[in-house]
């Protein structure tokens, strides 16, 4: 069963950068599309990016397009989320989750599984 572990969060100033990692604890990631979600206090979970199992297809929410980049290294069983030009509104707990083969709508978090504990990202001066 797919189980994922997020890392790389922290405190960063507005305009700064962070790179999050999503690692598979046991299973290979080769057959899974992996998505990143985030949830801020008092807000609904938001899907922000997804990458197909091959890495050839990606999707981004409008709120992060042009600032965030998703990538994967299947040999390391890890998916990355490079976050640049961070804003205070990016503050949230970030989660990754997976599903077989291809991404589905980022609005449909119920179709993803293997959720980790999340990693906190705080953007503040």
């Amino acid at each position: 069963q797919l189980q994922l572990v997020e890392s790389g969060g922290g405190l960063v100033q507005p305009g700064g950068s962070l790179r999050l990692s999503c690692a598979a604890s046991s299973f290979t990631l080769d057959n899974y599309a992996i998505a990143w979600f985030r949830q801020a206090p008092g807000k609904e979970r938001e899907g922000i990016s997804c990458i197909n199992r091959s890495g050839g297809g990606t999707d981004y929410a409008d709120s992060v397009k042009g600032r965030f980049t998703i990538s994967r290294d299947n040999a390391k069983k890890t998916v990355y989320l490079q976050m640049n030009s961070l804003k205070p509104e990016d503050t949230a707990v970030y989660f990754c989750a997976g599903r077989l083969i291809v991404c589905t709508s980022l609005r449909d978090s119920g179709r993803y599984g293997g959720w980790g504990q999340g990693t906190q990202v705080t953007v503040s001066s």
Side-chain angles (χ1 to χ4, degrees):
Q1 187 172 357
L2 182 66
Q3 290 189 331
L4 301 168
V5 179
E6 304 92 343
S7 62
L11 173 64
V12 63
Q13 292 187 343
S17 298
L18 280 176
R19 189 177 78 159
L20 305 184
S21 297
C22 171
S25 59
S26 55
F27 271 57
T28 177
L29 282 183
D30 289 8
N31 292 327
Y32 290 90
I34 301 295
W36 284 97
F37 298 82
R38 67 186 181 186
Q39 189 162 20
K43 293 189 176 181
E44 292 188 354
R45 184 177 297 173
E46 176 189 16
I48 57 174
S49 186
C50 189
I51 186 167
N52 287 339
R53 70 166 181 170
S54 67
T58 58
D59 191 19
Y60 296 93
D62 289 343
S63 58
V64 305
K65 201 171 292 183
R67 300 187 299 123
F68 291 9
T69 302
I70 193 169
S71 63
R72 66 189 299 154
D73 185 337
N74 285 343
K76 294 183 178 180
K77 301 193 297 181
T78 302
V79 170
Y80 304 99
L81 186 68
Q82 178 67 43
M83 307 187 297
N84 298 329
S85 302
L86 283 161
K87 305 174 181 180
E89 50 263 43
D90 294 317
T91 295
V93 178
Y94 284 69
F95 302 89
C96 60
R99 68 186 307 273
L100 287 174
I101 312 302
V102 297
C103 300
T104 188
S105 171
L106 290 171
R107 294 185 177 89
D108 200 355
S109 63
R111 292 184 178 267
Y112 292 85
W115 297 83
Q117 295 297 310
T119 185
Q120 175 71 47
V121 172
T122 302
V123 184
S124 175
S125 55

